[in-house]
Amino acid sequence: KLYKLSDKLNVKKFIFFSSISFQVKNGFSSEVISEKSKIYFESLYSYSKYKSEEEIKNLSKNLNTKFICLRPAVVYGKNPPGNFGKLSFLLKSRFYLPLNNISNKRSILSIINLVSLTEECCLNEKADNETFVISDDEIISTTSLVKKITRYANLNEKIFTLPIIFFNF
């Protein structure tokens, strides 16, 4: 409805902030994710984001308003919400966390880079009617992320090594 209304109001571009959640199975991916990666529906959230993208693409064939779909990785910045906020809170607490030997890799996205890319999409016609999976260049492990957060926040590193078998349990 919002996309149709944008067209009626002669809005030139409509940017839809989607999600990479429907391209990541079980919340993790060992592959580089792109716009062409396989689709998984593991939650109503991921299903609704994908279906919304498809609806916008279909509607765009008959509307003048251009669309841009952005699928950001987990976004971080000052006072982050979601998982970043929870992790930051735990690192500031008195608890020690068993995160020292986690070797997973995650793509993340700075809020500054998200804003910059959004601005570029508004100004650049090459972005019209396109979908972009977006993240920072660096892919980071949970352990490295925790060490960076504690260093930048001037916190004592409260992480320790727990054998991987305990995580599987």
Side-chain angles (χ1 to χ4, degrees):
K1 289 180 181 180
L2 190 57
Y3 184 51
K4 287 180 185 177
L5 179 61
S6 296
D7 191 62
K8 285 182 184 176
L9 296 173
N10 296 316
V11 171
K12 290 181 174 48
K13 292 189 183 190
F14 182 91
I15 298 178
F16 178 67
F17 288 91
S18 189
S19 173
I20 61 169
S21 64
F22 54 81
Q23 293 183 282
V24 182
K25 191 171 185 179
N26 297 323
F28 295 99
S29 178
S30 59
E31 304 170 9
V32 174
I33 298 171
S34 76
E35 295 78 8
K36 307 238 184 277
S37 294
K38 188 172 179 176
I39 304 299
Y40 303 96
F41 298 119
E42 294 189 340
S43 69
L44 288 176
Y45 174 80
S46 62
Y47 180 77
S48 69
K49 285 292 193 174
Y50 178 77
K51 285 302 195 182
S52 296
E53 277 190 28
E54 291 299 303
E55 185 67 19
I56 289 169
K57 288 174 188 175
N58 287 333
L59 287 170
S60 73
K61 296 171 187 169
N62 300 317
L63 300 179
N64 292 321
T65 299
K66 307 296 182 198
F67 76 88
I68 299 157
C69 288
L70 299 179
R71 296 179 190 162
V74 176
V75 178
Y76 69 94
K78 187 176 180 180
N79 300 319
N83 289 339
F84 266 99
K86 290 174 189 172
L87 182 58
S88 293
F89 173 78
L90 287 173
L91 293 172
K92 292 174 187 174
S93 73
R94 59 186 169 95
F95 300 107
Y96 283 76
L97 304 172
L99 302 174
N100 199 36
N101 62 338
I102 307 290
S103 61
N104 65 330
K105 298 286 187 181
R106 299 293 309 244
S107 293
I108 56 178
L109 178 64
S110 159
I111 188 67
I112 294 166
N113 289 340
L114 177 60
V115 170
S116 178
L117 178 74
T118 303
E119 180 182 27
E120 182 62 28
C121 287
C122 290
L123 301 173
N124 193 329
E125 290 179 8
K126 291 180 182 177
D128 293 354
N129 299 329
E130 295 291 339
T131 298
F132 301 99
V133 171
I134 53 176
S135 69
D136 292 346
D137 291 335
E138 181 182 14
I139 298 173
I140 191 166
S141 71
T142 299
T143 303
S144 296
L145 177 63
V146 165
K147 289 179 179 187
K148 282 187 177 196
I149 291 172
T150 54
R151 187 174 4 160
Y152 291 128
N154 230 2
L155 300 170
N156 291 328
E157 210 173 271
K158 296 179 186 172
I159 59 174
F160 65 94
T161 301
L162 186 67
I164 295 295
I165 192 159
F166 287 102
F167 286 102
N168 293 334
F169 176 69

